[in-house]
Amino acid sequence: MTTSPLHLVLGEEELLVERAVRAALDAARQADPAAELTRARVSELTAGALAELVSPSLFADGRVIVLEAAQDISQELADALSGYLAQPAEGIVLVVLHTGGGRSKAAKALPAALRKAGAEMTECSKITKPAEREAFVRNEVRQAGGKIDPVAVAALIDSVGTDLRELSAAAAQLVADSGGRVDEQAVRRYHRGRADVTGFAVAEKAVAGDRSAALESMRWAMQIGVPHVLVADALADAVRTIARVAGAGRGNPNQMAGELGMPPWKIRKAQGQVRGWTAAGLADAMAIVARVNAEVKGAAADPAYALERAVLDLVTAREKS
């Protein structure tokens, strides 16, 4: 079996980048089960070190060389790499990781040079848009051999959050547990305990004005080690979402989705939450989440206490509405 000797992995989405590296390694090991993996950051390489890395093995052993953070490449190293690409060594698979950016001329030109040299390219752009995240979940379920409906996709993201590794693991587990057909009930059943301790659950209870439930979820989340910053981010996301939906006025969530850059299910939920808030209350809430964001990132001596105070203040802001 043949495998491409040159790969360009372009983008910053860590999970997808690691998968691309793993795919290149697996392909190389199908051709040569003994192929070894070596990783090196280009900022720590000299032209001589690169030449040594990619020099042919005496016994023609297979090797996979991963050059990390190639957006930091120097002109000297780019020239050395160009020389190698003109005469690649037998048995070596070279995988170049590049964010797509770069400050130097050499760094910016590298992706095009690799493509010109015949590199097999894998796009790993950051997944930031709700529609992209939903597509990721659908694909993960499909890759695991299952099917998932749109409501279940929304429920899974709502329960797990936006971390791709966690979404991937949850998707695979749900397919295994549900026999392949994943619906909202399966998601809620499997993640009921988990959802109760995520930052999103804390935020949902806080913006709903449920003081005791919000504090209980927040304290349990702290006990099991949910990072303070994730809870603060979830509080901010909940408040900003309500504020944006309130500002957009009433309307069909499906029609508003494009304008607001949110999935319809999120707009629909926020429309229900908006009814408990006034403009003055939301203004207070925006100030509260901005404050706690700074506090959990170092401004407060006790970030757990800062989060608890923020939850109480959000409930108070809603009660004033």
Side-chain angles (χ1 to χ4, degrees):
M1 178 180 176
T2 60
T3 182
S4 175
L6 181 61
H7 295 260
L8 168 61
V9 180
L10 198 62
E12 298 181 82
E13 192 60 73
E14 184 180 332
L15 174 64
L16 302 184
V17 169
E18 287 307 310
R19 284 183 175 179
V21 172
R22 171 54 60 180
L25 179 61
D26 288 346
R29 284 180 174 167
Q30 286 188 38
D32 179 358
E36 294 185 355
L37 174 68
T38 302
R39 306 180 73 127
R41 292 185 67 85
V42 299
S43 59
E44 298 170 1
L45 283 177
T46 62
L50 175 64
E52 186 176 341
L53 264 182
V54 297
S55 60
S57 165
L58 181 62
F59 301 103
D61 294 330
R63 281 178 290 159
V64 178
I65 310 296
V66 180
L67 298 184
E68 300 178 339
Q71 69 277 0
D72 298 329
I73 199 165
S74 66
Q75 186 63 59
E76 179 188 11
L77 197 61
D79 291 341
L81 180 57
S82 179
Y84 168 77
L85 294 177
Q87 291 185 306
E90 186 73 24
I92 289 181
V93 174
L94 185 64
V95 184
V96 181
L97 311 186
H98 196 295
T99 62
R103 296 181 179 179
S104 69
K105 183 178 178 181
K108 292 175 181 176
L110 184 58
L114 291 168
R115 285 193 293 264
K116 187 176 180 180
E120 182 178 305
M121 187 173 76
T122 304
E123 289 273 6
C124 299
S125 300
K126 269 285 186 187
I127 292 180
T128 56
K129 296 179 181 177
E132 294 172 343
R133 197 168 290 115
E134 291 168 8
F136 173 82
V137 169
R138 287 194 297 271
N139 186 60
E140 291 298 295
V141 171
R142 186 166 54 249
Q143 291 292 325
K147 293 182 178 180
I148 186 168
D149 61 51
V151 176
V153 171
L156 181 56
I157 295 172
D158 195 33
S159 296
V160 175
T162 59
D163 184 270
L164 295 193
R165 293 184 190 278
E166 294 191 12
L167 285 171
S168 175
Q173 189 62 55
L174 279 164
V175 170
D177 290 349
S178 66
R181 298 194 66 84
V182 182
D183 58 17
E184 184 182 17
Q185 281 190 329
V187 174
R188 295 301 183 197
R189 184 170 58 250
Y190 181 73
H191 288 287
R192 187 172 292 121
R194 182 192 184 101
D196 284 343
V197 296
T198 63
F200 296 98
V202 176
E204 188 169 334
K205 291 176 174 66
V207 298
D210 193 338
R211 178 185 283 103
S212 60
L215 286 175
E216 182 182 356
S217 291
M218 198 274 291
R219 288 165 182 166
W220 178 242
M222 294 301 97
Q223 273 192 329
I224 66 167
V226 177
H228 300 107
V229 69
L230 292 187
V231 179
D233 286 347
L235 291 171
D237 180 71
V239 170
R240 289 170 189 154
T241 298
I242 293 172
R244 289 182 65 195
V245 171
R250 295 188 177 185
N252 185 317
N254 295 315
Q255 295 173 346
M256 297 168 69
E259 177 188 345
L260 295 179
M262 301 179 195
W265 65 266
K266 192 170 186 178
I267 296 172
R268 196 171 291 111
K269 177 192 284 187
Q271 285 175 331
Q273 295 168 327
V274 162
R275 289 192 285 271
W277 289 88
T278 63
L282 282 172
D284 287 346
M286 292 289 282
I288 293 164
V289 296
R291 180 196 75 207
V292 75
N293 183 269
E295 288 175 334
V296 299
K297 291 178 180 176
D302 187 344
Y305 172 75
L307 281 171
E308 186 169 315
R309 185 164 66 110
V311 166
L312 292 172
D313 288 349
L314 285 174
V315 173
T316 299
R318 187 180 185 277
E319 289 172 347
K320 288 181 180 177
S321 294

